[in-house]
Amino acid sequence: AKDASASGGSPNPMETVTRARANNRAGKSGSSGPCEPTRNSPCAPSTRYNPPLVRFKAPARARWRSRVRTRLAADWGVSVDQEAAMERAFSDLDRDAGLEIAERSHQVRQRVQGSSYFYGELDLKAQLAVLARAGARKGGVFVDLGSGLGKMVLAAALPGVFSECRGVEILPELHESAVKARGALLSDLAGRGLPPPSEVFLRCGDMLREESVADADVVFVFATCFPPEVMSSLETKLSEEMRRGARLVLVSKQFAGCCADFVPFGDNNGYLSVGQTHSKWNLDCFFYVRA
């Protein structure tokens, strides 16, 4: 085809635009110099060339998650130093160590039926998320039924939101390890001049018989391997003892829909997916309020 400008005719606007775009992609301007777009210039459409796509790379996601964790921790007043103190207190008591202790104790003396000795725990991020979701009031009481190594109790105490945090564990070996970890944490915090946590009380005994929750504002139960008979007894106990308006957090188990004493509360009908230690799988967490 003939060039319209060479024959004396007016230039073809579409041909000019196409040539300008090709030059832009090639990183060079036309023969008459860079295209300076004006309101009526035929090369103006080339200025609307899509900008390069900014991809959301993995490092950016990691930074975003870090900001979320920092903000969540800040909401509960847990500093980096306090978190490090928790890690030191449980340096040799990870989830696998807790499970091994529970298995040995169960072999020596079977205190509960079936596999109810199974040991599980949430990571600190999940613990803080659960506490924030439970909507604990300042100066309230936190109770963990089946507290294991005491990590949830100490996590609840660390920000100083509750006036008192209690835990009860039926296996003596787990209870003894929890008491040692509590002592190590308190000494570490005091030695570094960090804020003291809420008062922490750990008891060795049967959660169904030896720990009242009548004064509790938040009751936490890691019920992953509780058999139906334990869940039934637990529901009866909590229905009889918990005051109206108190919050209940159940991990891995739900109360039957016919239970009118406990009503799901919060977003997603009282459901939250939370991370557990040393596992890529999340756990189901259910939130109730005593009606």
Side-chain angles (χ1 to χ4, degrees), residues 60-232:
R61 279 200 299 270
R63 289 194 296 272
W64 178 82
R65 288 171 181 155
S66 177
R67 288 196 296 270
V68 170
R69 287 195 295 268
T70 302
R71 185 169 62 250
L72 181 61
D75 289 344
W76 272 80
V78 176
S79 68
V80 174
D81 292 334
Q82 287 174 310
E83 183 176 349
M86 277 280 287
E87 292 178 356
R88 287 189 293 270
F90 291 97
S91 60
D92 58 345
L93 291 172
D94 59 11
R95 183 261 181 190
D96 291 338
L99 178 58
E100 184 179 347
I101 293 171
E103 288 177 338
R104 287 202 308 265
S105 178
H106 192 68
Q107 291 171 359
V108 172
R109 179 184 174 189
Q110 186 172 344
R111 298 172 180 85
V112 288
Q113 296 298 319
S115 59
S116 299
Y117 67 89
F118 173 85
Y119 181 80
E121 62 185 38
L122 305 179
D123 58 34
L124 183 58
K125 175 188 172 184
Q127 290 167 342
L128 294 175
V130 165
L131 293 168
R133 177 73 174 268
R137 66 177 180 87
K138 184 74 173 179
V141 175
F142 174 86
V143 177
D144 183 356
L145 299 178
S147 53
L149 291 173
K151 292 185 179 181
M152 189 65 188
V153 181
L154 292 175
L158 203 57
V161 174
F162 295 102
S163 62
E164 180 180 302
C165 297
R166 303 197 304 265
V168 57
E169 169 57 46
I170 196 171
L171 301 182
E173 294 84 353
L174 281 177
H175 169 72
E176 292 168 5
S177 298
V179 171
K180 292 179 181 178
R182 177 188 61 183
L185 177 63
L186 295 179
S187 298
D188 195 354
L189 293 174
R192 297 173 186 273
L194 297 174
S198 307
E199 286 198 74
V200 176
F201 299 94
L202 299 173
R203 177 198 300 269
C204 183
D206 187 338
M207 66 178 185
L208 296 175
R209 300 180 179 87
E210 300 181 34
E211 182 63 41
S212 172
V213 295
D215 61 340
D217 294 274
V218 177
V219 176
F220 177 83
V221 186
F222 199 109
T224 300
C225 286
F226 285 1
E229 57 270 20
V230 173
M231 288 301 299
S232 178

Side-chain angles (χ1 to χ4, degrees), residues 145 207-208 213 228-242 248 255 259 261-262 290:
L145 299 178
M207 66 178 185
L208 296 175
V213 295
E229 57 270 20
V230 173
M231 288 301 299
S232 178
S233 300
L234 179 65
E235 182 177 335
T236 300
K237 171 187 174 64
L238 297 179
S239 296
E240 292 175 351
E241 296 182 8
M242 286 182 69
L248 170 65
F255 281 152
C259 180
D261 291 335
F262 293 94
R290 176 67 168 86

